[in-house]
Amino acid sequence: MHRPVAIAVHGGAGNLARYKGTGRLEEAYAFLEQHITLWHTMLCDGVSALDVACESVRALEDIGYFHAGKGSSPNDNGYVELDASIMRGSDRAAGAIAAVRTPKNPIDVARYIMEQTQQVLMVASEADTLITREGFATVDASYFVPCDEVGAALPSTGTVGAVVLDRDGEIVAATSTGGTLRKRAGRVGDAPIIGAGTYAIGGLGAVSCTGVGEYFLRTSAASRILARVELLGEHISTATGTILTEIVHLGGDGGMIALDHRGTIAMPFSTSGMYRAAVDATSSVTVGCL
Ligand code: ASP
């Protein structure tokens, strides 16, 4: 008997209300609505959680609507620095890159680090050297089209991510970002940090976070959500809500997508919006921006 499959993706939490009337929310909604069905079908057809997580994050990086991949904005030194991570639940394998400047699809490099190296996290220029040496597609500064040209004076965040449960019960979490907008050069947030922005435990669940990364780092957000599910037996909605409330009390903002091993999905956020889409184990589809 086939087990249930489920997927949730996000395109970042932030002050999305400022995009009302610009057409951007409708554009992103249409993209998410069309693609979530596609990715869910892949899972139903037996494609692995790892492949679907990478496929979906790659598409979110490439579309340029979100602050990751093509849509990333330069830091305060005028260049883009990218972070990404991926984790597989069954064996807690993980890979991540931080503060890299050249990969077209950072998530592919994170997967490579997980599968092909002994490391978990590679950073900055040595990681860029690895990216070139291993033949990953690279881009220069002219490739990036910052997604945040509307209302640029307003603080905002944005990241992309996926949590996926496949037919074999494998659970994967993946996250990719250009970081917070106009971030300090060299600053790294939660997205590439296993346990903060990304975490997955086989037979339990997966989490990908978005928001002001410093708060997700300080709360070890992703791993503590799953710890609550594991140790307290909390529902995934309760656990995500508890950690998000903790982040808000500390002065942070953001959101996360999470699923449990049964394919139940939670996607809470404290900002005016979070680009998100999901199909849960009952095949119920959710798409939203605000
Ligand atoms: N969490 C990301 C970071 O702090 C940004 C975001 O999600 O918007 O780098």
Side-chain angles (χ1 to χ4, degrees):
M1 196 190 80
H2 282 320
R3 296 195 226 178
V5 300
I7 177 168
V9 300
H10 70 82
N15 184 11
L16 303 189
R18 74 189 188 283
Y19 294 137
K20 273 188 199 163
T22 67
R24 291 189 50 163
L25 298 176
E26 293 74 10
E27 204 173 44
Y29 189 99
F31 171 84
L32 291 168
E33 189 178 39
Q34 187 192 345
H35 283 77
I36 197 67
T37 313
L38 205 79
W39 299 323
H40 180 251
T41 303
M42 288 172 74
L43 286 169
C44 295
D45 289 346
V47 179
S48 72
L50 199 55
D51 284 345
V52 173
C54 288
E55 172 82 18
S56 57
V57 169
R58 231 181 352 254
L60 292 158
E61 288 173 339
D62 286 345
I63 190 69
Y65 295 167
F66 314 110
H67 192 234
K70 189 176 178 62
S72 301
S73 303
N75 61 24
D76 65 0
N77 271 356
Y79 52 86
V80 168
E81 285 185 315
L82 305 161
D83 309 324
S85 65
I86 189 160
M87 185 167 190
R88 177 170 60 210
S90 57
D91 59 354
R92 312 272 181 104
I97 47 169
V100 294
R101 293 165 68 162
T102 57
K104 175 173 175 287
N105 291 109
I107 199 64
D108 289 340
V109 186
R111 179 176 180 170
Y112 170 86
I113 290 170
M114 176 175 85
E115 292 185 320
Q116 306 292 335
T117 79
Q118 299 302 310
Q119 286 67 53
V120 168
L121 174 61
M122 298 281 295
V123 305
S125 58
E126 289 301 334
D128 278 309
T129 303
L130 175 147
I131 286 160
T132 309
R133 196 184 59 225
E134 297 302 327
F136 286 100
T138 57
V139 292
D140 61 23
S142 65
Y143 170 73
F144 299 103
V145 181
C147 67
D148 195 54
E149 271 147 16
V150 181
L154 294 164
S156 182
T157 62
T159 285
V160 305
V163 289
V164 185
L165 170 69
D166 72 18
R167 280 267 182 255
D168 297 327
E170 182 63 276
I171 294 176
V172 171
T175 311
S176 176
T177 191
T180 46
L181 297 175
R182 294 173 293 284
K183 67 184 177 185
R184 182 177 183 173
R187 174 264 185 197
V188 173
D190 60 317
I193 305 303
I194 300 301
T198 302
Y199 209 62
I201 299 180
L204 196 73
V207 181
S208 169
C209 298
T210 168
V212 186
E214 283 71 10
Y215 293 91
F216 291 77
L217 285 165
R218 287 164 55 192
T219 54
S220 298
S223 62
R224 283 186 55 241
I225 287 168
L226 293 182
R228 295 187 74 87
V229 175
E230 184 176 25
L231 304 174
L232 301 178
E234 276 185 2
H235 191 275
I236 194 76
S237 301
T238 311
T240 49
T242 302
I243 297 299
L244 186 57
T245 301
E246 191 176 310
I247 284 167
V248 170
H249 283 156
L250 293 171
D253 241 343
M256 64 273 292
I257 54 172
L259 56 71
D260 69 14
H261 70 288
R262 287 183 294 267
T264 309
I265 286 169
M267 303 191 286
F269 53 96
S270 63
T271 45
S272 70
M274 180 170 82
Y275 296 115
R276 61 198 183 282
V279 184
D280 70 11
T282 68
S283 297
S284 158
V285 182
T286 309
V287 182
C289 298
L290 300 177

